[in-house]
Amino acid sequence: MAGKTVITFGTYDLFHVGHLRLLQRARALGDRLVVGVSTDALNVSKKNFSPSIPQTDRIEIIRSLRCVDEAFFEESLELKGDYIRQFKADTLVMGHDWEGRFDHFRDLCEVAYLPRTEGISTTQIREDMIRRGFITYS
Ligand code: CTP
């Protein structure tokens, strides 16, 4: 296939500029960017709570971005290798908070860890809203 495919994964809940910059930098590493958006069920099993924004809305936002060519639901953390093969990805991109954790995929594709944007995260936005009393945890 002509051109280089980059793949990355995330939840992208309460979409923010850190997400946008990561996706733009991932896209710049190749010719096509494919994004795995984790399902609500995967988040429940992994973090014990559901994202604020449902998966159908989160994937719609990701698909609408100019830097994203394709998006799909990531159903299980164990399937990353299968997704890499399915989309014929040349490069797997992860945030540097995952540094070293995906090196075993180097026999399938290149693995790049990109720096995160400082000072913003979904967790931080959620905690700020709770602190200000905009939302309560249930
Ligand atoms: N990301 C980033 N800079 C940030 C926040 C996220 O580059 N400030 C990247 C992550 O490294 C990941 C992608 O965006 O590659 C999706 O991140 P996700 O885990 O969905 O969002 P976070 O904001 O990190 O959410 P949380 O606070 O729940 O971990």
Side-chain angles (χ1 to χ4, degrees):
M1 192 202 291
K4 188 169 163 179
T5 297
V6 179
I7 194 166
T8 192
F9 298 86
T11 303
Y12 310 101
D13 190 22
L14 303 173
F15 192 82
H16 60 68
V17 75
H19 297 148
L20 179 64
R21 290 180 187 158
L22 194 289
L23 293 171
Q24 288 172 331
R25 282 179 286 142
R27 176 64 176 76
L29 294 179
D31 305 291
R32 171 178 174 245
L33 176 62
V34 178
V35 183
V37 176
S38 60
T39 59
D40 296 339
L42 176 53
N43 279 273
V44 170
S45 71
K46 183 172 76 168
K47 296 183 182 168
N48 234 3
F49 65 88
S50 198
S52 302
I53 308 297
Q55 64 186 42
T56 48
D57 291 8
R58 290 185 285 112
I59 204 167
E60 187 177 334
I61 291 167
I62 297 300
R63 280 198 178 117
S64 76
L65 298 172
R66 199 161 45 198
C67 57
V68 173
D69 299 280
E70 201 171 334
F72 66 96
F73 285 124
E74 180 184 21
E75 310 268 358
S76 160
L77 296 179
E78 277 67 56
L79 292 175
K80 279 198 174 59
D82 294 310
Y83 297 131
I84 289 167
R85 277 185 282 262
Q86 185 185 333
F87 290 99
K88 299 184 172 28
D90 300 286
T91 306
L92 167 65
V93 164
M94 299 299 293
H96 75 173
D97 42 324
W98 296 99
E99 188 82 49
R101 303 261 298 273
F102 292 91
D103 287 358
H104 53 286
F105 290 123
R106 289 197 198 279
D107 52 357
L108 286 181
C109 65
E110 292 171 41
V111 180
Y113 302 97
L114 300 186
R116 285 167 62 95
T117 299
E118 298 283 318
I120 191 161
S121 73
T122 299
T123 304
Q124 212 174 305
I125 294 170
R126 193 177 291 115
E127 284 171 358
D128 183 62
M129 288 196 288
I130 292 166
R131 196 167 37 81
R132 293 175 188 223
F134 295 163
I135 54 171
T136 51
Y137 249 119
S138 57

